Amino acid sequence: MPPMQSSMQVVEESDPMVIDSVEPSAPQSTMTAHAYPPSSEPDVGFVYDTEMTLHCSPDGHPEAPERILRIWKALVSGHYISRAKVIPTRQVLEHEALLVHSQKLWDKVEAIQYMTQPQFLDSEEHYEQLSLYICAATTLTARLSCGGVIEACLAVARGELSKTFAVVRPPGHHAEPEEHMGFCFFNNVAVAARVVQNLTPLKKILILDWDVHHGNGTQRAFNSDPSVLFISLHRHDGGDFYPYGPFGDLDSCGEGLGLGYLFVDYTLSSVNIPWPENGMGDADYIHAFQKVIMPIATEFDPELVIISAGFDAAEGDDLGECLVTPVGYAHMTYMLAGLAGGRLAVALEGGYNLDSITKSALAVTEIIMGGAPPEMGPMVASEAGARTVWLVARQQSQYWKSLNARACEPEGLPCAAASYSSYKTVVPTEANSPPLPTQEILKLHRQHYMYSEHGMMEVPLVSAELEQRFSGQVICSPDVFQCETLVFVVHEFGNLRVEVSASVMRDAQLERANLIEFSKDLVTWVKAEGYSLLDVNLFPKPNGSILRPKTKSIRALRQEVITYVWDNYVMLSSARNIVLVGHGPACQQLMDLIDMRETSVVESVRSVIQVVGHWPPCLPSRPENLKWYRCHSFLALGCDHSIRRRVQEVEWHGHVLDVDEDRSVALFAKALPDIKRFVKAHLSCLK
């Protein structure tokens, strides 16, 4: 693995900037186990074997037995083990190892157990050059470590457990198919992934490596394989950090089929996020997760997630010299646990500060045992981190449709060709919000599609608070001021409370496809009829900081957005005919607009469309507006909507359509032909 010392000096941090983020974190020492009730059928398993401590060096090497001893002791004393299953460990079999490694490497590791003391001494220099040490127990521990990770992954892949944590050593991610190196003898996660593919129906596997060193061995094992996606965050330092060289830089994106190649259902590339210096912390890692890792992972849609969990990027680790906290690891685990139907296996890699590795491992354990991540304080990504994420997004956007490099562009860089100077990037996160990454990703998918495919433009918002909560979510067609008819759509696309029926569990990729398809139909209709379009997503970005007092309610903020767009865009346009379209809970804001801008609405609005699905339909609150509303309204209901049992309420709405569909966006798409006819009929009456 790495040399014992690094020549890199600590880089002075950039000036802090308070941002909309998660609430302040509790002290790390408070990360203790929750008092979960005991379960007769544990859903989480751990791998550990004391024989893995036999591999040791008399010279105080950092890859020491105490690494797993300390973690296991903390897991036992924290009562995690008593609430979980201990998975029996075994040695990796030859035919399993050969799924990744060459026969020559297998034979070399096997031969270690038969070496004499003089042979150990004679080979010492050779193994030091490979950043390895060996002893009589090396073969046994290396095989146990690899076999333990295999069993942890198989337990999840076979549905016996939902999540597992393999507390193993020696680590594995540096071991290449032809060579062992960097404290690693067999590539534990790579071999386990291959065994899972061979023995279970699961084929699409995501390996996320957050060890501070590049997982060169893992990437080489799958670099041309479209069935395994490898993502690594690591220090690279321009090739001057172990394992050295250009491999693992941001342009190391795979080979052949693995290079962004469309193969069956897989669009693949290896993804490397190469930090250029030490000192990278929670803000940098969370920023990378939100802008690059989670969009790609969601698009890839894995059937199993394996974390190569090295904790040498943790604060206090002298080899990594980075600043990731246990809370940071908890949040990263939390996001990854939302993929693959919750199927997650964690395998220990590096980490050499005993306090740091123990606290970090406990933080990850807390999440896989069903806990929520502790709250985090406001964060700002470093200049180096923000630039790296932006460059990776530019590179990977060639292969992944979900990435929007422009959305990653750091503040202060006016264009892609701008020189790197001084800028800051905000990292919005929110504690205890499991669906947050998916919700934000869904919104970004649609925004990127509307910008890139249909030339939609962003509407700037005047106040800092509105920009903070709704930036990028108010868009318009370029002809918004020119057309005679303007369609004004308000919605909460991306809000999973709206998108997902309570009775139907659906994956994010399908939701994204539905959103894109409906958006295409909407824009096609508007363009074909010569209308202009204003599109407002009223589902706000999170405002996580408890230090920032709430000055306005969410409803008040939404009303402010709606009235701002109405006054400054709709009323200043050439449109004589306005069509108001609301979806889901956003319909309430249309009713608020009718009440707040009564005169101008009554004069210019020709149709009011509500597509509520199973949400309750809304009415203007002022009685004098009800008659006008009834004459101009169209209401689309989901099948068996409860309002159908209240006839008097139905009568307040003009045209009512029942749609045989539970899913909200799909319901909108099915209702669109009727909406088009209704709008056209009302506009024809004016001629």
Side-chain angles (χ1 to χ4, degrees), residues 343-617:
R343 290 184 291 270
L344 174 66
V346 182
L348 184 65
E349 296 284 1
Y352 308 100
N353 178 299
L354 297 182
D355 288 337
S356 299
I357 193 174
T358 302
K359 291 176 181 178
S360 300
L362 289 180
V364 170
T365 299
E366 183 68 21
I367 301 304
I368 69 172
M369 294 291 287
E375 298 168 348
M376 299 181 77
M379 299 185 301
V380 62
S382 67
E383 294 183 359
R387 182 172 189 261
T388 299
V389 170
W390 172 55
L391 293 174
V392 171
R394 288 178 60 191
Q395 178 72 31
Q396 291 292 333
S397 61
Q398 302 174 68
Y399 314 123
W400 300 95
K401 298 177 182 178
S402 56
L403 286 189
N404 180 1
R406 290 188 63 186
C408 301
E409 189 170 305
E411 184 180 331
L413 288 183
C415 65
S419 61
Y420 169 47
S421 54
S422 176
Y423 55 85
K424 297 175 181 178
T425 293
V426 169
V427 183
T429 64
E430 182 168 294
N432 304 328
S433 300
L436 175 60
T438 302
Q439 291 169 336
E440 292 303 309
I441 290 166
L442 285 170
K443 289 196 289 186
L444 288 172
H445 280 320
R446 183 176 186 271
Q447 289 165 21
H448 175 65
Y449 171 78
M450 297 291 271
Y451 291 143
S452 61
E453 296 297 323
H454 298 291
M456 298 290 282
M457 306 186 325
E458 181 178 350
V459 172
L461 301 173
V462 287
S463 75
E465 190 168 17
L466 292 184
E467 275 290 330
Q468 173 197 351
R469 306 308 297 276
F470 299 100
S471 63
Q473 296 182 200
V474 182
I475 57 179
C476 65
S477 56
D479 55 2
V480 67
F481 290 112
Q482 302 163 11
C483 298
E484 185 173 313
T485 299
L486 186 152
V487 178
F488 186 10
V489 182
V490 296
H491 56 84
E492 292 192 21
F493 291 158
N495 184 348
L496 296 184
R497 293 187 306 119
V498 181
E499 311 304 345
V500 183
S501 165
S503 60
V504 182
M505 290 301 295
R506 309 187 60 225
D507 63 77
Q509 190 155 337
L510 189 56
E511 288 302 323
R512 183 195 63 165
N514 286 338
L515 281 173
I516 297 304
E517 189 63 29
F518 170 73
S519 300
K520 177 182 176 182
D521 292 344
L522 175 67
V523 175
T524 299
W525 165 52
V526 168
K527 286 184 175 180
E529 295 294 340
Y531 307 155
S532 58
L533 177 64
L534 260 171
D535 184 286
V536 181
N537 189 329
L538 291 173
F539 185 46
K541 295 178 173 67
N543 178 32
S545 176
I546 196 171
L547 298 179
R548 178 175 295 162
K550 291 184 178 179
T551 56
K552 297 176 183 174
S553 68
I554 292 298
R555 182 170 179 177
L557 286 172
R558 288 169 172 156
Q559 289 174 344
E560 188 174 340
V561 170
I562 285 291
T563 53
Y564 168 77
V565 173
W566 178 266
D567 294 342
N568 294 279
Y569 284 82
V570 177
M571 288 293 95
L572 295 181
S573 73
S574 302
R576 295 171 47 243
N577 308 311
I578 311 300
V579 178
L580 298 181
V581 182
H583 177 251
C587 293
Q588 179 61 58
Q589 274 63 56
L590 287 188
M591 301 303 110
D592 292 342
L593 177 66
I594 292 171
D595 290 329
M596 291 185 294
R597 297 293 186 268
E598 177 183 351
T599 301
S600 58
V601 166
V602 170
E603 288 178 353
S604 59
V605 171
R606 311 308 174 199
S607 303
V608 181
I609 314 296
Q610 290 193 66
V611 182
V612 297
H614 288 277
W615 284 78

Side-chain angles (χ1 to χ4, degrees), residues 254-273:
E255 301 169 355
L257 292 181
L259 183 59
Y261 188 87
L262 186 62
F263 181 74
V264 191
D265 291 326
Y266 311 145
T267 305
L268 261 292
S269 64
S270 298
V271 180
N272 284 295
I273 301 169

Side-chain angles (χ1 to χ4, degrees), residues 48-123:
Y48 177 79
D49 194 313
T50 55
E51 288 192 297
M52 285 185 282
T53 65
L54 298 177
H55 172 67
C56 59
S57 168
D59 301 326
H61 196 279
E63 206 293 281
E66 289 76 18
R67 298 175 61 242
I68 61 172
L69 283 168
R70 284 280 296 272
I71 293 174
W72 190 254
K73 182 179 179 181
L75 291 174
V76 172
S77 63
H79 304 291
Y80 294 101
I81 303 305
S82 62
R83 295 183 282 110
K85 177 180 178 180
V86 177
I87 303 169
T89 311
R90 63 169 176 86
Q91 297 183 46
V92 63
L93 302 176
E94 180 177 358
H95 75 273
E96 293 172 327
L98 294 183
L99 293 171
V100 170
H101 296 292
S102 66
Q103 185 70 55
K104 182 179 178 181
L105 176 61
W106 172 265
D107 292 341
K108 283 195 291 187
V109 178
E110 280 291 287
I112 294 172
Q113 62 190 313
Y114 304 115
M115 291 172 62
T116 64
Q117 191 59 33
Q119 288 175 320
F120 282 122
L121 294 174
D122 291 342
S123 64

